[in-house]
Amino acid sequence: DTAVSQTPKYLVTQMGNDKSIKCEQNLGHDTMYWYKQDSKKFLKIMFSYNNKELIINETVPNRFSPKSPDKAHLNLHINSLELGDSAVYFCASSPTGLRSGNTIYFGEGSWLTVV
Amino acid sequence: AQSVTQPDIHITVSEGASLELRCNYSYGATPYLFWYVQSPGQGLQLLLKYFSGDTLVQGIKGFEAEFKRSQSSFNLRKPSVHWSDAAEYFCAVGHVNTGNQFYFGTGTSLTVIP
């Protein structure tokens, strides 16, 4: 069983479109994240949710909107896609953040290409 | 501010040779330290982590890392590299004071030659 699963794995879309990436974790964690990995492999946190509540919202265009219907799911919706949004988006989860020294577990990534 | 530096962008080693990947962090207190590996087209897999206690930690796939407070370093080592170790390696730091924030280094790309 995949612990953190995200769909789709690959997505090619045109500029201006709206797309969503879904993420689910079956680890029982209550904190979930979205990270963006750019073409230079740099990983940067975008959002973090704890028990469906947004707790980290880095400097991300408001075209990106996370939604957490329950603590096992954290979806990422992107409006009006731009070329610069092309990247790999990683979903991740952890139990109660890092307060007890826990670890973040990552999904396999969603490769988004905007043309 | 917290930061993680991986000085080596790319490293090439021969199969069977030893490996050391460098990681330096900047943080006021002892952070939690992690090494992740990313194979081509794959997600990130945790290799090992340090929270407290013994400063030499063992991980999966024969990797180990040593926390050196005086040098603010957490270098990753492997005594004998296998061709399957070719991947991107990321050092990361977190701390209870950063809440759920996790900072990654820029990664080191490892090439293994026969």
Side-chain angles (χ1 to χ4, degrees):
Chain A
D1 283 345
T2 303
V4 182
S5 59
Q6 44 185 121
T7 56
K9 182 160 185 176
Y10 300 101
L11 181 57
V12 180
T13 187
Q14 290 187 319
M15 283 175 55
N17 284 350
D18 303 337
K19 291 294 179 186
S20 292
I21 307 172
K22 296 186 177 181
C23 179
E24 175 182 5
Q25 54 95 2
N26 61 7
L27 297 167
H29 294 164
D30 50 20
T31 301
M32 295 186 72
Y33 313 78
W34 278 109
Y35 279 82
K36 179 181 180 180
Q37 185 176 46
D38 62 23
S39 58
K40 295 182 179 178
K41 302 280 188 178
F42 184 62
L43 274 159
K44 186 171 169 56
I45 191 167
M46 300 173 69
F47 303 103
S48 173
Y49 270 73
N50 181 263
N51 279 321
K52 303 192 299 176
E53 184 181 336
L54 180 65
I55 53 174
I56 291 177
N57 183 356
E58 291 293 301
T59 307
V60 175
N62 57 15
R63 298 181 295 103
F64 290 78
S65 53
K67 280 192 170 51
S68 182
D70 55 63
K71 71 176 192 178
H73 296 83
L74 180 61
N75 303 323
L76 182 65
H77 188 75
I78 315 170
N79 290 327
S80 303
L81 278 156
E82 300 176 357
L83 293 177
D85 297 332
S86 296
V88 185
Y89 293 86
F90 285 100
C91 179
S93 73
S94 71
T96 61
L98 290 177
R99 283 194 293 272
S100 55
N102 288 305
T103 302
I104 292 181
Y105 295 88
F106 286 85
E108 296 204 336
S110 294
W111 271 252
L112 172 64
T113 302
V114 182
V115 298
Chain B
Q2 304 85 350
S3 69
V4 182
T5 303
Q6 293 180 246
D8 305 304
I9 296 174
H10 186 252
I11 283 183
T12 299
V13 297
S14 299
E15 192 167 15
S18 63
L19 171 70
E20 182 169 30
L21 303 181
R22 296 184 290 166
C23 173
N24 293 95
Y25 68 90
S26 171
Y27 192 73
T30 300
Y32 304 139
L33 296 157
F34 306 80
W35 274 99
Y36 285 85
V37 60
Q38 184 181 24
S39 298
Q42 300 296 316
L44 286 91
Q45 181 182 23
L46 178 70
L47 283 176
L48 47 79
K49 58 186 178 183
Y50 171 79
F51 292 144
S52 63
D54 192 348
T55 56
L56 183 64
V57 293
Q58 302 297 321
I60 62 171
K61 303 185 179 187
F63 285 93
E64 66 177 27
E66 186 171 13
F67 169 60
K68 293 186 177 179
R69 185 191 307 273
S70 61
Q71 299 176 19
S72 297
S73 69
F74 189 58
N75 295 347
L76 182 71
R77 300 193 294 250
K78 186 169 184 177
S80 178
V81 170
H82 189 262
W83 64 266
S84 60
D85 293 324
E88 193 84 20
Y89 290 80
F90 292 94
C91 182
V93 62
H95 191 269
V96 61
N97 290 341
T98 67
N100 294 305
Q101 184 62 287
F102 221 59
Y103 297 92
F104 281 87
T106 50
T108 297
S109 177
L110 174 66
T111 298
V112 180
I113 55 178

